[in-house]
Amino acid sequence: MSVNKEVKRVTTNTLQKMKAAGEKISMLTAYDFSFARIIDGAGIDVILVGDSASNVIAGHETTLPITLDQMIYHASSVIRGVERCLVVVDLPFGSYQSNSDIALASAIRIMKETGAHSVKMEGGAEVIDSIRKIVSAGIPVMGHLGLIPQSIYKFGTYAVRAKEEVEADKLKKDAQLLQDAGCFAIVLEKIPAGLAKEVSLSLTIPTIGIGAGGDCDGQVLVMHDMLGINTEFKPRFLRQYLNVYDQATLAVQQYVKDVKSKDFPNESEQY
Ligand code: KIV
């Protein structure tokens, strides 16, 4: 998509100012050009090219299988559909956990090959050296704490995280570490609302919640869940705004009927 000079782009500074002004940040996932165009045009502040593509696009059970090359494909498709919003791309599992040189190389590939504006990484103290190195290279990093799906086999469940004091204390320390390392925002996933509020108030950078209550500085949902494309996933925190699954099913059923009955195409639908 060509650059429209009239459009005021959302940057990491914009998000910082929004937090300071008490304006909530809206964020949704997208994985392709067409949906990115709809979401950006509708006025979203941030698009996350999430590794949830592994679930909702590729049909895997977890986010672990998606590769860096596949994330680059999704992110470069999204970027072509975006004029205004900030685009954040998940570094996928295996592309940053081994050491900070590999992490930096992965982040550089995302920035160079997709044109995206920033990367997201899961974890706190465990990945802090890599975050520092990536930020030092001039790449904005969004952190991600609480339920971190790339560690699902460590947790063993997608249940609410940090309900106990020890885990809540670690999360608070990690949030401070991420801010000190230069992260521009932090996703807080599936943690008690009270803890998310405390963390949000303690930080100068914005928090973006998913299943973390209304006191985060912004909210994120997976597009396929909120549009009802994927109807099996119905956690308590999800608000479903459409039922695309049912509507698309009806449309396809009608098309099959029209073809079988020779109603489609009619005279005005042919040359
Ligand atoms: O991959 C993703 O969609 C995410 C969101 C759930 C925050 O990380």
Side-chain angles (χ1 to χ4, degrees):
M1 189 168 273
S2 62
V3 177
N4 181 348
K5 294 211 174 80
E6 307 281 297
V7 175
K8 195 160 176 354
R9 298 211 68 127
V10 178
T11 66
T12 56
N13 288 337
T14 318
L15 303 188
Q16 189 65 60
K17 284 186 191 143
M18 287 169 80
K19 170 157 180 147
E23 184 187 341
K24 297 282 186 184
I25 297 162
S26 59
M27 174 160 131
L28 274 178
T29 65
Y31 317 96
D32 65 31
F33 167 79
S34 302
F35 273 113
R37 192 150 70 161
I38 294 172
I39 292 173
D40 183 61
I44 205 85
D45 298 312
V46 185
I47 283 182
L48 169 65
V49 185
D51 58 359
S52 49
S54 179
N55 310 107
V56 298
I57 302 291
H60 292 296
E61 233 175 79
T62 73
T63 57
L64 275 67
I66 200 160
T67 65
L68 185 57
D69 284 336
Q70 288 164 340
M71 288 304 295
I72 286 171
Y73 169 75
H74 287 297
S76 49
S77 308
V78 163
I79 278 290
R80 287 191 283 273
V82 163
E83 276 197 337
R84 176 185 167 272
C85 70
L86 181 85
V87 177
V88 185
V89 184
D90 263 331
L91 281 181
F93 177 68
S95 73
Y96 64 98
Q97 286 87 352
S98 26
N99 68 54
S100 60
D101 289 332
I102 289 177
L104 178 60
S106 301
I108 287 176
R109 277 201 65 199
I110 295 220
M111 300 301 282
K112 257 184 144 39
E113 296 178 38
T114 73
H117 315 123
S118 56
V119 298
K120 177 164 83 59
M121 294 161 71
E122 296 184 5
E126 310 78 16
V127 291
I128 207 71
D129 290 342
S130 299
I131 290 180
R132 285 200 193 100
K133 197 159 195 160
I134 294 171
V135 171
S136 305
I139 300 173
V141 176
M142 180 179 273
H144 185 156
L145 297 173
L147 177 63
I148 45 174
Q150 291 177 13
S151 301
I152 184 58
Y153 291 120
K154 179 174 154 196
F155 297 142
T157 153
Y158 287 103
V160 179
R161 302 305 315 173
K163 280 163 102 177
E164 308 302 330
E165 206 179 323
V166 177
E167 197 180 335
D169 282 346
K170 172 165 163 42
L171 189 142
K172 287 187 246 178
K173 282 192 195 116
D174 279 343
Q176 196 59 53
L177 267 180
L178 292 181
Q179 174 170 284
D180 295 346
C183 285
F184 69 90
I186 303 176
V187 167
L188 297 177
E189 180 163 355
K190 228 171 170 190
I191 61 169
L195 174 62
K197 180 177 181 178
E198 197 184 329
V199 171
S200 303
L201 288 173
S202 74
L203 298 178
T204 54
I205 57 170
T207 59
I208 315 280
I210 174 163
D215 289 306
C216 294
D217 302 302
Q219 297 292 327
V220 57
L221 286 175
V222 170
M223 178 196 71
H224 285 60
D225 301 336
M226 64 83 75
L227 292 182
I229 297 172
N230 165 27
T231 51
E232 286 116 61
F233 184 64
K234 284 204 170 128
R236 173 163 151 185
F237 67 76
L238 175 66
R239 187 176 295 179
Q240 196 182 304
Y241 287 81
L242 259 184
N243 191 329
V244 170
Y245 189 95
D246 283 354
Q247 287 181 297
T249 301
L250 285 176
V252 173
Q253 284 171 339
Q254 187 62 48
Y255 169 72
V256 171
K257 216 168 129 200
D258 290 351
V259 170
K260 302 275 182 198
S261 68
K262 301 180 188 155
D263 178 74
F264 177 79
N266 63 25
E267 276 193 18
S268 67
E269 289 162 332
Q270 65 191 17
Y271 300 99

